[in-house]
Amino acid sequence: MSGAKGVKERRTAAGGDDRDDTIALMELLFFAYRDFISDPDAILEEIGFGRAHHRIIHFVGRQPGLRVSELLGILRITKQSLGRVLRELIDKGYVFQQEGAHDRRQRLLYLTGKGRELLARLSAPQIARVRRALDEAGPGAEAAFARVLERIIDEGERGRVRQMTGREKRSG
Amino acid sequence: MSGAKGVKERRTAAGGDDRDDTIALMELLFFAYRDFISDPDAILEEIGFGRAHHRIIHFVGRQPGLRVSELLGILRITKQSLGRVLRELIDKGYVFQQEGAHDRRQRLLYLTGKGRELLARLSAPQIARVRRALDEAGPGAEAAFARVLERIIDEGERGRVRQMTGREKRSG
DNA sequence: CAGAATATGTCAGCCATATTGACATATTTC
DNA sequence: GAAATATGTCAATATGGCTGACATATTCTG
């Protein structure tokens, strides 16, 4: 199971092979995501919300006027699952809906002032965490980090994500 | 809310600021993780398992002889939550336990042959996805990717993670 | 215009996975 | 011998997913 099986398993300085290196990176991704995603938990708990509420507030905040169907696609959940949490956000005054101008079947989603305030509070620790990591990782790390993450994303999704994040085609 | 608020919000080529860039990266992390983590779902479903089973099999496979308490720390769940899933894995012959040699209270965890086979199947698409992304992202991207991820992880956890992933102190 | 398709919402029941709290057993440490 | 530790289990509960069925309003299409 070690070395000499061709280019795919060339050894590295540390004595591992490509496969081990890749698994180590997968674990880093697991732990980084775990810690990153738990940052807002304390704030959410104060108001009886969960991560599902945060996700909705985040994407509505980033894309005001988002359609319900788009949000379903982003979150990859069913409308029934979304429905329960979204209803709560609307009832408690964090999100409101507005009829689409061109298509009145649509219920476009927006944050209220209260919603934007909450989003700012929830995002703050996550932004600080990531920004600090980027600064410490040295110049060029941000671009490389983005390049790898983008290519981990499903190929068919990259265009949509690139557009959402305001990172247009170009060298991308 | 734009520009000229000091070094922290210097503008970039694309016209965004640091804050927007960081949020875009956070979204890339979200989508990359979402797609990465769903790769094994189809295989898991075949045998009636979920992601919780995969996580246990992964970390036991990576660290044979892992103690139950260590696994609880890695997964950040309670022993009651772990218990149900671990019991299933043991009953179905994917994991076995062995009394600790020095401390007979410990139930050290190991994968059976069947467990290792399943782990290989589950990991394959994830390894392929990440390796392809690294290759496409160009030379140096892997190191930068690792540096950023590592620094996103809670500071108090980095030592443990570094040890687990076989990436010792050094420049890291 | 009628009928099909689309966008959304809601009810009901179920499942996977997490939680807290209480308690039990075996073993090791003091 | 008592306390601390490592593990396991029972019961009740919460969150956030799922499927299936059905309802409404609106737009598109032949």
Side-chain angles (χ1 to χ4, degrees):
Chain A
M1 287 295 276
S2 72
K5 279 183 74 177
V7 285
K8 281 296 188 64
E9 289 202 13
R10 59 191 178 280
R11 302 183 73 77
T12 65
D17 58 28
D18 266 16
R19 184 188 161 83
D20 285 346
D21 288 350
T22 305
I23 293 176
L25 279 176
M26 288 162 45
E27 289 177 337
L28 286 184
L29 178 58
F30 173 83
F31 291 114
Y33 186 85
R34 181 197 65 175
D35 292 345
F36 163 77
I37 216 62
S38 68
D39 271 336
D41 283 352
I43 300 165
L44 289 167
E45 201 176 3
E46 283 176 22
I47 50 182
F49 283 176
R51 293 178 183 178
H53 300 82
H54 180 201
R55 286 194 290 273
I56 293 173
I57 288 187
H58 174 89
F59 287 109
V60 172
R62 280 281 281 180
Q63 300 174 81
L66 191 65
R67 281 178 288 124
V68 170
S69 59
E70 288 174 325
L71 185 52
L72 290 175
I74 288 169
L75 299 179
R76 296 238 181 115
I77 58 176
T78 59
K79 65 178 173 179
Q80 295 92 330
S81 296
L82 176 64
R84 183 175 35 80
V85 184
L86 182 56
R87 179 110 314 274
E88 209 178 337
L89 287 169
I90 292 169
D91 290 347
K92 296 193 177 170
Y94 294 91
V95 172
F96 69 94
Q97 294 181 302
Q98 198 175 286
E99 224 174 44
H102 305 303
D103 185 339
R104 288 166 47 217
R105 290 170 303 184
Q106 298 175 349
R107 296 292 124 82
L108 307 183
L109 300 168
Y110 299 87
L111 292 188
T112 62
K114 190 177 169 188
R116 282 193 299 274
E117 271 173 39
L118 178 57
L119 176 55
R121 282 188 69 206
L122 294 171
S123 305
Q126 294 188 307
I127 293 173
R129 179 190 288 269
V130 172
R131 200 180 276 178
R132 185 177 40 66
L134 293 169
D135 288 348
E136 291 175 7
E142 174 165 347
F145 186 59
R147 276 205 308 281
V148 176
L149 285 179
E150 190 172 346
R151 286 165 176 77
I152 289 177
I153 295 171
D154 283 352
E155 202 159 359
E157 292 283 295
R158 287 177 208 166
R160 187 210 287 196
V161 171
R162 216 184 271 119
Q163 204 178 346
M164 168 189 323
T165 56
R167 296 155 42 266
E168 290 314 314
K169 194 78 186 179
R170 220 171 295 249
S171 66
Chain B
M1 287 296 274
S2 69
K5 280 184 72 177
V7 286
K8 280 298 186 64
E9 290 202 12
R10 61 192 175 278
R11 302 183 73 78
T12 65
D17 58 28
D18 266 15
R19 184 189 161 83
D20 286 346
D21 289 350
T22 305
I23 293 175
L25 279 177
M26 286 162 46
E27 289 177 335
L28 286 183
L29 178 59
F30 173 82
F31 290 114
Y33 186 84
R34 180 197 65 175
D35 292 346
F36 162 77
I37 216 62
S38 68
D39 271 336
D41 283 352
I43 300 166
L44 289 166
E45 199 177 2
E46 284 176 22
I47 50 181
F49 283 174
R51 291 178 183 178
H53 301 81
H54 181 199
R55 286 195 291 273
I56 294 173
I57 287 187
H58 174 89
F59 287 110
V60 173
R62 280 281 280 178
Q63 302 175 76
L66 191 66
R67 280 179 289 123
V68 169
S69 60
E70 288 174 325
L71 185 52
L72 289 174
I74 289 169
L75 300 179
R76 294 240 181 115
I77 58 175
T78 59
K79 64 180 174 177
Q80 295 90 329
S81 296
L82 177 64
R84 182 182 39 82
V85 185
L86 182 56
R87 179 111 314 274
E88 210 178 335
L89 287 170
I90 291 170
D91 290 348
K92 295 191 177 169
Y94 294 91
V95 171
F96 69 94
Q97 294 181 303
Q98 197 176 286
E99 224 174 44
H102 304 304
D103 185 338
R104 288 166 46 217
R105 290 171 304 182
Q106 299 176 348
R107 295 290 122 83
L108 308 183
L109 301 168
Y110 298 87
L111 293 188
T112 62
K114 190 177 169 188
R116 282 193 299 274
E117 271 172 41
L118 178 57
L119 175 56
R121 283 189 68 204
L122 294 171
S123 304
Q126 293 189 307
I127 293 173
R129 179 189 289 268
V130 172
R131 200 181 277 179
R132 184 178 41 65
L134 293 169
D135 287 347
E136 290 174 9
E142 174 165 345
F145 186 60
R147 276 204 308 280
V148 177
L149 285 179
E150 188 172 346
R151 285 165 178 77
I152 289 177
I153 296 171
D154 284 351
E155 200 157 1
E157 290 284 294
R158 287 178 208 165
R160 189 210 285 196
V161 171
R162 215 184 271 121
Q163 204 179 346
M164 170 189 321
T165 55
R167 296 156 41 267
E168 289 314 314
K169 195 76 186 183
R170 224 170 291 251
S171 67

PDB file of all heavy atoms in Angstrom, chain B residues 33-63:
ATOM      1  N   TYR B  33     -17.977  22.790   0.962  1.00  0.00           N
ATOM      2  CA  TYR B  33     -18.249  21.791   1.991  1.00  0.00           C
ATOM      3  C   TYR B  33     -19.536  21.041   1.691  1.00  0.00           C
ATOM      4  O   TYR B  33     -19.605  19.820   1.825  1.00  0.00           O
ATOM      5  CB  TYR B  33     -18.326  22.457   3.370  1.00  0.00           C
ATOM      6  CG  TYR B  33     -18.450  21.467   4.504  1.00  0.00           C
ATOM      7  CD1 TYR B  33     -17.327  20.860   5.039  1.00  0.00           C
ATOM      8  CD2 TYR B  33     -19.692  21.127   5.025  1.00  0.00           C
ATOM      9  CE1 TYR B  33     -17.438  19.937   6.070  1.00  0.00           C
ATOM     10  CE2 TYR B  33     -19.814  20.208   6.052  1.00  0.00           C
ATOM     11  CZ  TYR B  33     -18.688  19.618   6.576  1.00  0.00           C
ATOM     12  OH  TYR B  33     -18.795  18.701   7.585  1.00  0.00           O
ATOM     13  N   ARG B  34     -20.545  21.778   1.289  1.00  0.00           N
ATOM     14  CA  ARG B  34     -21.829  21.155   0.984  1.00  0.00           C
ATOM     15  C   ARG B  34     -21.700  20.062  -0.077  1.00  0.00           C
ATOM     16  O   ARG B  34     -22.218  18.957   0.084  1.00  0.00           O
ATOM     17  CB  ARG B  34     -22.810  22.232   0.495  1.00  0.00           C
ATOM     18  CG  ARG B  34     -24.193  21.727   0.146  1.00  0.00           C
ATOM     19  CD  ARG B  34     -24.970  22.728  -0.709  1.00  0.00           C
ATOM     20  NE  ARG B  34     -24.348  22.905  -2.026  1.00  0.00           N
ATOM     21  CZ  ARG B  34     -24.880  23.644  -3.005  1.00  0.00           C
ATOM     22  NH1 ARG B  34     -26.000  24.295  -2.804  1.00  0.00           N
ATOM     23  NH2 ARG B  34     -24.279  23.747  -4.169  1.00  0.00           N
ATOM     24  N   ASP B  35     -20.968  20.370  -1.154  1.00  0.00           N
ATOM     25  CA  ASP B  35     -20.843  19.395  -2.232  1.00  0.00           C
ATOM     26  C   ASP B  35     -19.906  18.259  -1.838  1.00  0.00           C
ATOM     27  O   ASP B  35     -20.178  17.082  -2.111  1.00  0.00           O
ATOM     28  CB  ASP B  35     -20.334  20.095  -3.502  1.00  0.00           C
ATOM     29  CG  ASP B  35     -21.381  21.054  -4.067  1.00  0.00           C
ATOM     30  OD1 ASP B  35     -22.558  20.972  -3.647  1.00  0.00           O
ATOM     31  OD2 ASP B  35     -21.033  21.890  -4.919  1.00  0.00           O
ATOM     32  N   PHE B  36     -18.821  18.615  -1.183  1.00  0.00           N
ATOM     33  CA  PHE B  36     -17.843  17.622  -0.735  1.00  0.00           C
ATOM     34  C   PHE B  36     -18.479  16.609   0.202  1.00  0.00           C
ATOM     35  O   PHE B  36     -18.292  15.393   0.069  1.00  0.00           O
ATOM     36  CB  PHE B  36     -16.706  18.365  -0.029  1.00  0.00           C
ATOM     37  CG  PHE B  36     -15.833  17.526   0.849  1.00  0.00           C
ATOM     38  CD1 PHE B  36     -14.864  16.699   0.286  1.00  0.00           C
ATOM     39  CD2 PHE B  36     -15.949  17.573   2.228  1.00  0.00           C
ATOM     40  CE1 PHE B  36     -14.037  15.927   1.096  1.00  0.00           C
ATOM     41  CE2 PHE B  36     -15.131  16.804   3.038  1.00  0.00           C
ATOM     42  CZ  PHE B  36     -14.174  15.976   2.474  1.00  0.00           C
ATOM     43  N   ILE B  37     -19.267  17.096   1.137  1.00  0.00           N
ATOM     44  CA  ILE B  37     -19.795  16.219   2.177  1.00  0.00           C
ATOM     45  C   ILE B  37     -20.924  15.344   1.660  1.00  0.00           C
ATOM     46  O   ILE B  37     -21.250  14.322   2.266  1.00  0.00           O
ATOM     47  CB  ILE B  37     -20.256  17.065   3.397  1.00  0.00           C
ATOM     48  CG1 ILE B  37     -19.966  16.309   4.698  1.00  0.00           C
ATOM     49  CG2 ILE B  37     -21.708  17.442   3.300  1.00  0.00           C
ATOM     50  CD1 ILE B  37     -18.512  16.031   4.970  1.00  0.00           C
ATOM     51  N   SER B  38     -21.527  15.713   0.540  1.00  0.00           N
ATOM     52  CA  SER B  38     -22.652  14.933   0.031  1.00  0.00           C
ATOM     53  C   SER B  38     -22.213  13.810  -0.909  1.00  0.00           C
ATOM     54  O   SER B  38     -23.030  12.968  -1.285  1.00  0.00           O
ATOM     55  CB  SER B  38     -23.648  15.848  -0.681  1.00  0.00           C
ATOM     56  OG  SER B  38     -23.077  16.357  -1.866  1.00  0.00           O
ATOM     57  N   ASP B  39     -20.941  13.794  -1.265  1.00  0.00           N
ATOM     58  CA  ASP B  39     -20.450  12.749  -2.179  1.00  0.00           C
ATOM     59  C   ASP B  39     -20.815  11.332  -1.742  1.00  0.00           C
ATOM     60  O   ASP B  39     -21.270  10.541  -2.564  1.00  0.00           O
ATOM     61  CB  ASP B  39     -18.923  12.851  -2.319  1.00  0.00           C
ATOM     62  CG  ASP B  39     -18.504  13.792  -3.448  1.00  0.00           C
ATOM     63  OD1 ASP B  39     -19.314  14.004  -4.378  1.00  0.00           O
ATOM     64  OD2 ASP B  39     -17.365  14.287  -3.422  1.00  0.00           O
ATOM     65  N   PRO B  40     -20.608  10.983  -0.488  1.00  0.00           N
ATOM     66  CA  PRO B  40     -20.854   9.579  -0.118  1.00  0.00           C
ATOM     67  C   PRO B  40     -22.315   9.250   0.168  1.00  0.00           C
ATOM     68  O   PRO B  40     -22.612   8.097   0.465  1.00  0.00           O
ATOM     69  CB  PRO B  40     -20.028   9.396   1.169  1.00  0.00           C
ATOM     70  CG  PRO B  40     -19.223  10.642   1.328  1.00  0.00           C
ATOM     71  CD  PRO B  40     -19.946  11.707   0.604  1.00  0.00           C
ATOM     72  N   ASP B  41     -23.205  10.223   0.052  1.00  0.00           N
ATOM     73  CA  ASP B  41     -24.592   9.996   0.444  1.00  0.00           C
ATOM     74  C   ASP B  41     -25.241   8.802  -0.265  1.00  0.00           C
ATOM     75  O   ASP B  41     -25.962   8.016   0.358  1.00  0.00           O
ATOM     76  CB  ASP B  41     -25.440  11.252   0.197  1.00  0.00           C
ATOM     77  CG  ASP B  41     -25.213  12.323   1.259  1.00  0.00           C
ATOM     78  OD1 ASP B  41     -24.526  12.028   2.262  1.00  0.00           O
ATOM     79  OD2 ASP B  41     -25.718  13.451   1.083  1.00  0.00           O
ATOM     80  N   ALA B  42     -24.986   8.681  -1.554  1.00  0.00           N
ATOM     81  CA  ALA B  42     -25.620   7.607  -2.316  1.00  0.00           C
ATOM     82  C   ALA B  42     -25.188   6.239  -1.794  1.00  0.00           C
ATOM     83  O   ALA B  42     -26.015   5.331  -1.628  1.00  0.00           O
ATOM     84  CB  ALA B  42     -25.278   7.742  -3.803  1.00  0.00           C
ATOM     85  N   ILE B  43     -23.894   6.110  -1.516  1.00  0.00           N
ATOM     86  CA  ILE B  43     -23.374   4.833  -1.002  1.00  0.00           C
ATOM     87  C   ILE B  43     -23.945   4.546   0.383  1.00  0.00           C
ATOM     88  O   ILE B  43     -24.348   3.430   0.691  1.00  0.00           O
ATOM     89  CB  ILE B  43     -21.830   4.869  -0.937  1.00  0.00           C
ATOM     90  CG1 ILE B  43     -21.253   5.113  -2.335  1.00  0.00           C
ATOM     91  CG2 ILE B  43     -21.280   3.594  -0.336  1.00  0.00           C
ATOM     92  CD1 ILE B  43     -19.784   5.499  -2.334  1.00  0.00           C
ATOM     93  N   LEU B  44     -23.979   5.578   1.203  1.00  0.00           N
ATOM     94  CA  LEU B  44     -24.495   5.413   2.558  1.00  0.00           C
ATOM     95  C   LEU B  44     -25.950   4.936   2.536  1.00  0.00           C
ATOM     96  O   LEU B  44     -26.354   4.084   3.323  1.00  0.00           O
ATOM     97  CB  LEU B  44     -24.392   6.735   3.326  1.00  0.00           C
ATOM     98  CG  LEU B  44     -22.977   7.163   3.713  1.00  0.00           C
ATOM     99  CD1 LEU B  44     -22.957   8.623   4.154  1.00  0.00           C
ATOM    100  CD2 LEU B  44     -22.418   6.270   4.814  1.00  0.00           C
ATOM    101  N   GLU B  45     -26.686   5.504   1.607  1.00  0.00           N
ATOM    102  CA  GLU B  45     -28.111   5.186   1.565  1.00  0.00           C
ATOM    103  C   GLU B  45     -28.346   3.719   1.219  1.00  0.00           C
ATOM    104  O   GLU B  45     -29.262   3.096   1.764  1.00  0.00           O
ATOM    105  CB  GLU B  45     -28.821   6.087   0.550  1.00  0.00           C
ATOM    106  CG  GLU B  45     -30.319   6.147   0.782  1.00  0.00           C
ATOM    107  CD  GLU B  45     -30.998   7.112  -0.184  1.00  0.00           C
ATOM    108  OE1 GLU B  45     -30.294   7.679  -1.043  1.00  0.00           O
ATOM    109  OE2 GLU B  45     -32.211   7.294  -0.072  1.00  0.00           O
ATOM    110  N   GLU B  46     -27.508   3.172   0.363  1.00  0.00           N
ATOM    111  CA  GLU B  46     -27.602   1.752  -0.005  1.00  0.00           C
ATOM    112  C   GLU B  46     -27.702   0.853   1.223  1.00  0.00           C
ATOM    113  O   GLU B  46     -28.415  -0.146   1.220  1.00  0.00           O
ATOM    114  CB  GLU B  46     -26.333   1.306  -0.760  1.00  0.00           C
ATOM    115  CG  GLU B  46     -26.238   1.743  -2.197  1.00  0.00           C
ATOM    116  CD  GLU B  46     -24.893   1.323  -2.794  1.00  0.00           C
ATOM    117  OE1 GLU B  46     -24.270   0.383  -2.250  1.00  0.00           O
ATOM    118  OE2 GLU B  46     -24.466   1.943  -3.791  1.00  0.00           O
ATOM    119  N   ILE B  47     -26.915   1.206   2.241  1.00  0.00           N
ATOM    120  CA  ILE B  47     -26.844   0.335   3.407  1.00  0.00           C
ATOM    121  C   ILE B  47     -27.571   0.929   4.612  1.00  0.00           C
ATOM    122  O   ILE B  47     -27.414   0.453   5.733  1.00  0.00           O
ATOM    123  CB  ILE B  47     -25.382   0.030   3.776  1.00  0.00           C
ATOM    124  CG1 ILE B  47     -24.564   1.324   3.857  1.00  0.00           C
ATOM    125  CG2 ILE B  47     -24.764  -0.921   2.775  1.00  0.00           C
ATOM    126  CD1 ILE B  47     -23.113   1.090   4.198  1.00  0.00           C
ATOM    127  N   GLY B  48     -28.346   1.955   4.357  1.00  0.00           N
ATOM    128  CA  GLY B  48     -29.158   2.513   5.437  1.00  0.00           C
ATOM    129  C   GLY B  48     -28.374   3.298   6.471  1.00  0.00           C
ATOM    130  O   GLY B  48     -28.824   3.439   7.606  1.00  0.00           O
ATOM    131  N   PHE B  49     -27.228   3.796   6.089  1.00  0.00           N
ATOM    132  CA  PHE B  49     -26.440   4.617   6.996  1.00  0.00           C
ATOM    133  C   PHE B  49     -26.584   6.094   6.654  1.00  0.00           C
ATOM    134  O   PHE B  49     -27.113   6.456   5.601  1.00  0.00           O
ATOM    135  CB  PHE B  49     -24.956   4.232   6.924  1.00  0.00           C
ATOM    136  CG  PHE B  49     -24.613   2.960   7.654  1.00  0.00           C
ATOM    137  CD1 PHE B  49     -23.325   2.424   7.577  1.00  0.00           C
ATOM    138  CD2 PHE B  49     -25.549   2.291   8.432  1.00  0.00           C
ATOM    139  CE1 PHE B  49     -23.002   1.252   8.251  1.00  0.00           C
ATOM    140  CE2 PHE B  49     -25.228   1.127   9.111  1.00  0.00           C
ATOM    141  CZ  PHE B  49     -23.946   0.598   9.014  1.00  0.00           C
ATOM    142  N   GLY B  50     -26.114   6.933   7.558  1.00  0.00           N
ATOM    143  CA  GLY B  50     -26.143   8.372   7.331  1.00  0.00           C
ATOM    144  C   GLY B  50     -24.750   8.941   7.479  1.00  0.00           C
ATOM    145  O   GLY B  50     -23.766   8.210   7.628  1.00  0.00           O
ATOM    146  N   ARG B  51     -24.668  10.258   7.469  1.00  0.00           N
ATOM    147  CA  ARG B  51     -23.363  10.914   7.557  1.00  0.00           C
ATOM    148  C   ARG B  51     -22.693  10.676   8.905  1.00  0.00           C
ATOM    149  O   ARG B  51     -21.466  10.677   8.998  1.00  0.00           O
ATOM    150  CB  ARG B  51     -23.523  12.413   7.305  1.00  0.00           C
ATOM    151  CG  ARG B  51     -23.900  12.705   5.866  1.00  0.00           C
ATOM    152  CD  ARG B  51     -24.105  14.191   5.621  1.00  0.00           C
ATOM    153  NE  ARG B  51     -24.523  14.425   4.250  1.00  0.00           N
ATOM    154  CZ  ARG B  51     -24.810  15.618   3.754  1.00  0.00           C
ATOM    155  NH1 ARG B  51     -24.735  16.683   4.525  1.00  0.00           N
ATOM    156  NH2 ARG B  51     -25.185  15.738   2.496  1.00  0.00           N
ATOM    157  N   ALA B  52     -23.508  10.476   9.937  1.00  0.00           N
ATOM    158  CA  ALA B  52     -22.943  10.220  11.261  1.00  0.00           C
ATOM    159  C   ALA B  52     -22.121   8.927  11.246  1.00  0.00           C
ATOM    160  O   ALA B  52     -21.041   8.861  11.842  1.00  0.00           O
ATOM    161  CB  ALA B  52     -24.057  10.138  12.297  1.00  0.00           C
ATOM    162  N   HIS B  53     -22.630   7.922  10.547  1.00  0.00           N
ATOM    163  CA  HIS B  53     -21.879   6.667  10.441  1.00  0.00           C
ATOM    164  C   HIS B  53     -20.557   6.886   9.715  1.00  0.00           C
ATOM    165  O   HIS B  53     -19.519   6.358  10.105  1.00  0.00           O
ATOM    166  CB  HIS B  53     -22.707   5.626   9.690  1.00  0.00           C
ATOM    167  CG  HIS B  53     -24.024   5.314  10.311  1.00  0.00           C
ATOM    168  ND1 HIS B  53     -25.133   6.111  10.127  1.00  0.00           N
ATOM    169  CD2 HIS B  53     -24.419   4.314  11.142  1.00  0.00           C
ATOM    170  CE1 HIS B  53     -26.156   5.592  10.816  1.00  0.00           C
ATOM    171  NE2 HIS B  53     -25.752   4.514  11.434  1.00  0.00           N
ATOM    172  N   HIS B  54     -20.616   7.671   8.649  1.00  0.00           N
ATOM    173  CA  HIS B  54     -19.414   7.945   7.873  1.00  0.00           C
ATOM    174  C   HIS B  54     -18.354   8.628   8.735  1.00  0.00           C
ATOM    175  O   HIS B  54     -17.184   8.261   8.706  1.00  0.00           O
ATOM    176  CB  HIS B  54     -19.748   8.811   6.658  1.00  0.00           C
ATOM    177  CG  HIS B  54     -18.551   9.110   5.797  1.00  0.00           C
ATOM    178  ND1 HIS B  54     -18.535  10.156   4.898  1.00  0.00           N
ATOM    179  CD2 HIS B  54     -17.341   8.518   5.706  1.00  0.00           C
ATOM    180  CE1 HIS B  54     -17.361  10.180   4.295  1.00  0.00           C
ATOM    181  NE2 HIS B  54     -16.618   9.212   4.753  1.00  0.00           N
ATOM    182  N   ARG B  55     -18.760   9.615   9.491  1.00  0.00           N
ATOM    183  CA  ARG B  55     -17.793  10.344  10.315  1.00  0.00           C
ATOM    184  C   ARG B  55     -17.072   9.403  11.278  1.00  0.00           C
ATOM    185  O   ARG B  55     -15.853   9.477  11.442  1.00  0.00           O
ATOM    186  CB  ARG B  55     -18.514  11.447  11.103  1.00  0.00           C
ATOM    187  CG  ARG B  55     -18.907  12.628  10.236  1.00  0.00           C
ATOM    188  CD  ARG B  55     -19.277  13.831  11.095  1.00  0.00           C
ATOM    189  NE  ARG B  55     -20.521  13.655  11.844  1.00  0.00           N
ATOM    190  CZ  ARG B  55     -21.722  13.936  11.379  1.00  0.00           C
ATOM    191  NH1 ARG B  55     -21.873  14.414  10.153  1.00  0.00           N
ATOM    192  NH2 ARG B  55     -22.795  13.765  12.132  1.00  0.00           N
ATOM    193  N   ILE B  56     -17.835   8.527  11.907  1.00  0.00           N
ATOM    194  CA  ILE B  56     -17.221   7.599  12.848  1.00  0.00           C
ATOM    195  C   ILE B  56     -16.249   6.674  12.124  1.00  0.00           C
ATOM    196  O   ILE B  56     -15.110   6.475  12.555  1.00  0.00           O
ATOM    197  CB  ILE B  56     -18.309   6.777  13.578  1.00  0.00           C
ATOM    198  CG1 ILE B  56     -19.146   7.709  14.462  1.00  0.00           C
ATOM    199  CG2 ILE B  56     -17.678   5.653  14.394  1.00  0.00           C
ATOM    200  CD1 ILE B  56     -20.341   7.026  15.100  1.00  0.00           C
ATOM    201  N   ILE B  57     -16.700   6.102  11.021  1.00  0.00           N
ATOM    202  CA  ILE B  57     -15.835   5.186  10.271  1.00  0.00           C
ATOM    203  C   ILE B  57     -14.571   5.897   9.799  1.00  0.00           C
ATOM    204  O   ILE B  57     -13.475   5.348   9.844  1.00  0.00           O
ATOM    205  CB  ILE B  57     -16.617   4.576   9.079  1.00  0.00           C
ATOM    206  CG1 ILE B  57     -17.628   3.565   9.616  1.00  0.00           C
ATOM    207  CG2 ILE B  57     -15.674   3.926   8.072  1.00  0.00           C
ATOM    208  CD1 ILE B  57     -18.346   2.783   8.552  1.00  0.00           C
ATOM    209  N   HIS B  58     -14.722   7.129   9.384  1.00  0.00           N
ATOM    210  CA  HIS B  58     -13.552   7.867   8.925  1.00  0.00           C
ATOM    211  C   HIS B  58     -12.500   8.001  10.021  1.00  0.00           C
ATOM    212  O   HIS B  58     -11.332   7.662   9.824  1.00  0.00           O
ATOM    213  CB  HIS B  58     -13.940   9.254   8.409  1.00  0.00           C
ATOM    214  CG  HIS B  58     -12.746  10.089   8.061  1.00  0.00           C
ATOM    215  ND1 HIS B  58     -12.182  10.076   6.797  1.00  0.00           N
ATOM    216  CD2 HIS B  58     -11.966  10.899   8.807  1.00  0.00           C
ATOM    217  CE1 HIS B  58     -11.124  10.854   6.799  1.00  0.00           C
ATOM    218  NE2 HIS B  58     -10.964  11.377   7.998  1.00  0.00           N
ATOM    219  N   PHE B  59     -12.921   8.513  11.172  1.00  0.00           N
ATOM    220  CA  PHE B  59     -11.920   8.820  12.206  1.00  0.00           C
ATOM    221  C   PHE B  59     -11.384   7.557  12.878  1.00  0.00           C
ATOM    222  O   PHE B  59     -10.222   7.522  13.277  1.00  0.00           O
ATOM    223  CB  PHE B  59     -12.487   9.830  13.207  1.00  0.00           C
ATOM    224  CG  PHE B  59     -12.581  11.212  12.621  1.00  0.00           C
ATOM    225  CD1 PHE B  59     -13.811  11.779  12.327  1.00  0.00           C
ATOM    226  CD2 PHE B  59     -11.426  11.933  12.323  1.00  0.00           C
ATOM    227  CE1 PHE B  59     -13.889  13.049  11.749  1.00  0.00           C
ATOM    228  CE2 PHE B  59     -11.502  13.198  11.754  1.00  0.00           C
ATOM    229  CZ  PHE B  59     -12.735  13.751  11.468  1.00  0.00           C
ATOM    230  N   VAL B  60     -12.205   6.542  12.975  1.00  0.00           N
ATOM    231  CA  VAL B  60     -11.679   5.278  13.509  1.00  0.00           C
ATOM    232  C   VAL B  60     -10.689   4.666  12.515  1.00  0.00           C
ATOM    233  O   VAL B  60      -9.643   4.136  12.903  1.00  0.00           O
ATOM    234  CB  VAL B  60     -12.833   4.291  13.815  1.00  0.00           C
ATOM    235  CG1 VAL B  60     -12.282   2.922  14.196  1.00  0.00           C
ATOM    236  CG2 VAL B  60     -13.711   4.832  14.940  1.00  0.00           C
ATOM    237  N   GLY B  61     -11.012   4.781  11.242  1.00  0.00           N
ATOM    238  CA  GLY B  61     -10.112   4.245  10.218  1.00  0.00           C
ATOM    239  C   GLY B  61      -8.780   4.975  10.197  1.00  0.00           C
ATOM    240  O   GLY B  61      -7.723   4.366   9.986  1.00  0.00           O
ATOM    241  N   ARG B  62      -8.826   6.267  10.441  1.00  0.00           N
ATOM    242  CA  ARG B  62      -7.602   7.062  10.412  1.00  0.00           C
ATOM    243  C   ARG B  62      -6.765   6.868  11.668  1.00  0.00           C
ATOM    244  O   ARG B  62      -5.561   7.066  11.659  1.00  0.00           O
ATOM    245  CB  ARG B  62      -7.955   8.547  10.282  1.00  0.00           C
ATOM    246  CG  ARG B  62      -8.289   8.931   8.871  1.00  0.00           C
ATOM    247  CD  ARG B  62      -7.033   9.112   8.053  1.00  0.00           C
ATOM    248  NE  ARG B  62      -6.432  10.415   8.315  1.00  0.00           N
ATOM    249  CZ  ARG B  62      -5.308  10.826   7.756  1.00  0.00           C
ATOM    250  NH1 ARG B  62      -4.662  10.047   6.927  1.00  0.00           N
ATOM    251  NH2 ARG B  62      -4.838  12.022   8.033  1.00  0.00           N
ATOM    252  N   GLN B  63      -7.427   6.546  12.755  1.00  0.00           N
ATOM    253  CA  GLN B  63      -6.709   6.408  14.025  1.00  0.00           C
ATOM    254  C   GLN B  63      -7.134   5.136  14.735  1.00  0.00           C
ATOM    255  O   GLN B  63      -7.838   5.185  15.739  1.00  0.00           O
ATOM    256  CB  GLN B  63      -7.007   7.616  14.925  1.00  0.00           C
ATOM    257  CG  GLN B  63      -6.621   8.934  14.287  1.00  0.00           C
ATOM    258  CD  GLN B  63      -7.030  10.118  15.140  1.00  0.00           C
ATOM    259  OE1 GLN B  63      -6.419  10.445  16.143  1.00  0.00           O
ATOM    260  NE2 GLN B  63      -8.125  10.760  14.741  1.00  0.00           N
TER     261      GLN B  63
END
